Amino acid sequence: MAEPMRIRATMAGDVADVKVLRNHPMETGLRKDAKTGQLVPAHFIQDVTATINGAAVLNADFGTGISKNPYLGFKVKGPKKGDKVVVNWVDNKGDKNSAEAVIG
Amino acid sequence: MNALRRNVLKGAAGAGTVAIAVAAGLLKPTQAMAAWNKAAFEAKNVGDAMKGLGVAGPADSKEIAIKMPDIAENGSVVPVEVTSSIAGTTGIAIFAEKNGTPLVGSYTLSGGAQGYIATRIKVAQTSFIRAVVNAGGKSYTAAKEVKVTVGGCGG
């Protein structure tokens, strides 16, 4: 499941605009497989954390209502160009992924 | 040297126990991750979900802006942007009121993060999308309706 994640961080004035996109099925556990008629087990991202230069800026909990291939955008005041943004995700099966970007 | 060795052994044994507990199904990964608020996310209505988050009677606020389409042709991907102009915003939660489990996402902001979250959510049917903002120990709310022509939670 370690599919690539896309992350971009740009400064707009004194605010860093961070955008993250990850490939993930985000299965709710309520959808039936069209072929087998069986419920597709729930598989969704639950916990997302973001840090800038090691300091936490965002901790997000997701439910099953977040769309497939989740997009997340947030803004942080204070960082400078060249600072490092790291975003980590954990899903309900324990799969993890992480991506980092330098603010430009 | 001995003390160090002992600590290393102790650490290894500790980690091993957790792994065994997980393998035996005693500890599901979801339970091991205490951060995820199961009660709130599995609540079937907005009131229970708010209770799970510890929110009670949020005040209506015009300082919360919800930006999203008025009509969503495809309910499985509805872009939503929540902006809170309330000073000291530390948390944003998003609810789709008529979804089976209304709480969609809960965000905790810190370290200079602005009162802004952009995401894309599933909306089962025409419904109000509600944002609840925590600021300075109080909670505020705003809602906006989205009309859905094809639901986002079916198969």
Side-chain angles (χ1 to χ4, degrees):
Chain A
M1 270 312 296
E3 292 189 36
M5 233 163 102
R6 279 189 286 166
I7 177 167
R8 180 177 298 166
T10 49
M11 288 303 289
D14 60 349
V15 173
D17 188 358
V18 184
K19 296 182 169 77
V20 193
L21 194 61
R22 185 195 168 171
N23 291 326
H24 198 283
M26 295 302 280
E27 288 291 353
T28 61
L30 305 173
R31 192 175 70 89
K32 278 186 180 161
D33 188 301
K35 282 180 194 153
T36 63
Q38 298 292 310
L39 286 175
V40 179
H43 186 203
F44 59 99
I45 292 169
Q46 285 187 313
D47 195 37
V48 183
T49 55
T51 59
I52 292 185
N53 284 347
V57 290
L58 176 74
N59 186 349
D61 289 350
F62 284 4
T64 52
I66 298 283
S67 298
K68 185 175 166 181
N69 301 336
Y71 167 73
L72 173 67
F74 58 96
K75 293 177 179 173
V76 183
K77 196 171 181 175
K80 293 182 283 296
K81 276 192 182 185
D83 286 357
K84 196 166 85 169
V85 187
V86 179
V87 177
N88 289 295
W89 312 66
V90 182
D91 71 20
N92 67 325
K93 293 184 177 176
D95 285 343
K96 292 176 189 175
N97 206 345
S98 168
E100 58 180 67
V102 172
I103 299 172
Chain B
M1 278 307 277
N2 259 340
L4 174 68
R5 183 168 169 271
R6 200 157 295 201
N7 278 338
V8 168
L9 282 175
K10 214 192 262 175
T17 317
V18 172
I20 289 163
V22 169
L26 295 172
L27 265 174
K28 285 183 190 161
T30 48
Q31 286 169 333
M33 229 169 41
W36 197 68
N37 192 332
K38 190 174 157 74
F41 278 105
E42 293 188 353
K44 303 287 187 218
N45 63 60
V46 178
D48 287 351
M50 282 191 190
K51 215 181 285 169
L53 286 178
V55 174
D60 284 334
S61 172
K62 290 203 169 79
E63 292 182 272
I64 304 168
I66 303 174
K67 193 175 147 195
M68 62 179 192
D70 294 329
I71 299 174
E73 279 185 22
N74 180 356
S76 63
V77 185
V78 181
V80 177
E81 277 181 47
V82 177
T83 307
S84 161
S85 326
I86 301 167
T89 295
T90 52
I92 296 177
I94 301 173
F95 301 83
E97 293 197 338
K98 287 192 183 161
N99 276 12
T101 51
L103 179 58
V104 172
S106 163
Y107 306 85
T108 308
L109 308 166
S110 54
Q114 304 288 289
Y116 167 87
I117 288 294
T119 183
R120 293 196 291 231
I121 68 173
K122 297 173 197 162
V123 184
Q125 54 180 299
T126 298
S127 162
F128 276 97
I129 305 302
R130 179 168 295 281
V132 173
V133 168
N134 281 325
K138 289 187 179 163
S139 43
Y140 304 88
T141 186
K144 186 171 186 279
E145 190 175 33
V146 61
K147 289 192 165 49
V148 174
T149 41
V150 180
C153 292

